[in-house]
Amino acid sequence: PADTVRAVVKQPGMLRRATYRPARSTIIRYREQRMSPAHVQLAESIALGTIPLDHQALATLDETERARVLELAYEYLDYERLRGRAPDVTRTAVRLRDLLLARSQLSVPNESLPPPPAVRPDQGHPSARVMFGVGRESGRGFQELRLRPAYHDLLDPEEGYQRGAEIEFFNLALRHREQDDRTRLERVDLINIKSLSPRTELLKPLSWRIDVGFERKLLPGGDDPLLFGISGGSGFSWETSASLLGYTMIEGAIDAHDKLRKGYSLGVGPAAGLLFDISHDWRVQLEARAIHYGAGELHSDSEVALNQRFRISQQTALRVELTRRREFSQVHREAGIFLGYYF
């Protein structure tokens, strides 16, 4: 979508002005942050009808706080209606009207909307990316070339993109190992999607991820074929500050190849991670997961990764990646440094 907008903006005279229209969930989150937890809970109770509009808890507030509670209650109830989660359409419509009438009786101005982001979606980093790096894998040196046609991952510069969202297509890696002096396809990610949506008092979305592609793995017999894999999971995310995002999930995974016992390996296990912005240009991601494969090829895998991104410019960034993996009872340690260019 951002590339489509960029193409439009480049046409002379096509764009007269850009107008920011925040999503309903963005408005709710913004207003929640500007209110005390007690007032947010009061707005939820009023929206759901568990507390009447003439309740003392609302009447004792000053006009400004009362207006904020009523506006948040209206936004939240209308958000639930639009998502189809309001139990009674007629009663919800009446409740929304009553909230507007109660708000109109107050003389204070409406609460401000979220300010527009400093960087528009069409002004973020270009979505195609090429990376080149060097590193060591279990004591062996390697060089690696990565290509990604689109679009954005969690370590890419965030400006212009949705926080906590990752969508990648056809991300591939070519690796040259010095020990055997061969260059081979290391992995092909057909699609990677992550949606890390922090939970608040009012909004409680599920976070989820799905990855589909091919990855080279070293099997017990010494072969290292490209295994086709599908993995995904669901869980919860939380945000303790603007610079820290955490998440936990329960994940499932399946690998398929004719060199695996019964041709496949199916497992499930926990995963957790943290995204932490040390500065505007420096982001750190710590992630860990463990999968027990209880069907097909029986084994247990685990991985701990510490990745960092340093932005150099709008189109260049440096990554440092440290990983410890345990696959098929074999431990692999890997470290690499990669320079990326967005175009």
Side-chain angles (χ1 to χ4, degrees):
D3 288 341
T4 303
V5 177
R6 290 188 186 102
V8 171
V9 171
K10 288 180 180 179
Q11 303 302 314
M14 182 70 75
L15 178 70
R16 288 188 294 178
R17 66 177 182 276
T19 303
Y20 176 58
R21 293 187 177 90
R24 184 63 59 88
S25 60
T26 302
I27 296 173
I28 293 173
R29 291 179 189 275
Y30 175 75
R31 293 186 171 174
E32 277 191 271
Q33 294 168 358
R34 294 163 60 86
M35 295 169 59
S36 68
H39 289 174
V40 172
Q41 292 176 4
L42 178 60
E44 180 182 21
S45 298
I46 291 173
L48 300 179
T50 57
I51 290 181
L53 285 170
D54 58 358
H55 194 274
Q56 184 180 4
L58 182 63
T60 55
L61 299 178
D62 62 55
E63 277 206 345
T64 299
E65 290 301 324
R66 201 183 317 160
R68 286 182 173 181
V69 169
L70 290 171
E71 289 178 14
L72 180 58
Y74 176 85
E75 295 286 355
Y76 176 62
L77 182 57
D78 200 35
Y79 174 81
E80 293 291 283
R81 178 188 66 83
L82 292 171
R83 289 176 59 85
R85 297 197 296 196
D88 188 309
V89 175
T90 302
R91 291 178 60 184
T92 298
V94 172
R95 192 72 179 172
L96 289 169
R97 183 198 62 191
D98 291 344
L99 287 168
L100 289 178
L101 288 173
R103 176 62 183 90
S104 68
Q105 296 172 9
L106 303 177
S107 59
V108 296
N110 291 336
E111 177 74 358
S112 61
L113 292 175
V119 179
R120 300 197 315 250
D122 60 294
Q123 296 172 333
H125 68 78
S127 61
R129 187 189 68 198
V130 59
M131 299 180 70
F132 179 77
V134 297
R136 295 189 70 80
E137 175 191 13
S138 300
R140 301 174 299 175
F142 69 83
Q143 299 83 42
E144 185 166 295
L145 177 66
R146 301 176 181 175
L147 300 172
R148 184 195 69 190
Y151 164 64
H152 176 78
D153 70 22
L154 294 178
L155 277 178
D156 286 331
E158 190 172 275
E159 289 82 357
Y161 292 83
Q162 179 69 35
R163 180 170 175 78
E166 172 179 304
I167 303 177
E168 291 187 300
F169 297 98
F170 304 111
N171 189 15
L172 64 87
L174 297 170
R175 177 171 293 191
H176 176 265
R177 290 182 171 86
E178 295 177 352
Q179 185 181 33
D180 50 18
D181 196 25
R182 287 194 298 171
T183 300
R184 296 188 298 172
L185 188 62
E186 187 69 13
R187 64 182 303 133
V188 181
D189 299 323
L190 302 179
I191 185 170
N192 297 334
I193 301 177
K194 290 185 179 69
S195 176
L196 305 179
S197 301
R199 295 165 69 87
T200 69
E201 184 67 33
L202 296 180
L203 305 179
K204 297 177 173 60
L206 285 176
S207 294
W208 58 277
R209 59 166 285 268
I210 184 168
D211 297 334
V212 180
F214 297 84
E215 183 178 7
R216 195 171 296 281
K217 293 185 178 182
L218 183 61
L219 303 183
D223 292 329
D224 58 347
L226 279 171
L227 273 62
F228 175 74
I230 300 176
S231 64
S234 183
F236 307 108
S237 300
W238 67 94
E239 197 171 38
T240 58
S241 68
S243 61
L244 180 63
L245 176 65
Y247 52 96
T248 59
M249 295 187 188
I250 296 296
E251 300 183 344
I254 182 169
D255 292 332
H257 196 279
D258 57 11
K259 291 190 177 181
L260 294 173
R261 186 181 306 169
K262 298 182 181 180
Y264 74 97
S265 189
L266 177 65
V268 65
L274 288 173
L275 279 175
F276 180 57
D277 293 324
I278 296 179
S279 70
H280 180 260
D281 297 321
W282 184 5
R283 168 167 287 189
V284 176
Q285 181 184 30
L286 176 63
E287 194 168 57
R289 59 174 37 89
I291 301 290
H292 174 68
Y293 291 87
E297 181 80 37
L298 306 181
H299 64 287
S300 294
D301 289 355
S302 62
E303 178 179 283
V304 178
L306 176 63
N307 301 324
Q308 302 181 63
R309 180 264 299 159
F310 307 88
R311 178 167 54 182
I312 301 172
S313 69
Q314 174 74 0
Q315 292 183 275
T316 55
L318 189 69
R319 293 199 185 196
V320 177
E321 300 179 357
L322 302 173
T323 306
R324 183 188 185 277
R325 296 192 311 274
R326 185 178 183 272
E327 296 175 342
F328 300 98
S329 301
Q330 303 171 86
V331 176
H332 308 273
R333 295 178 177 86
E334 186 173 309
I337 183 169
F338 301 86
L339 180 64
Y341 177 75
Y342 301 91
F343 62 97

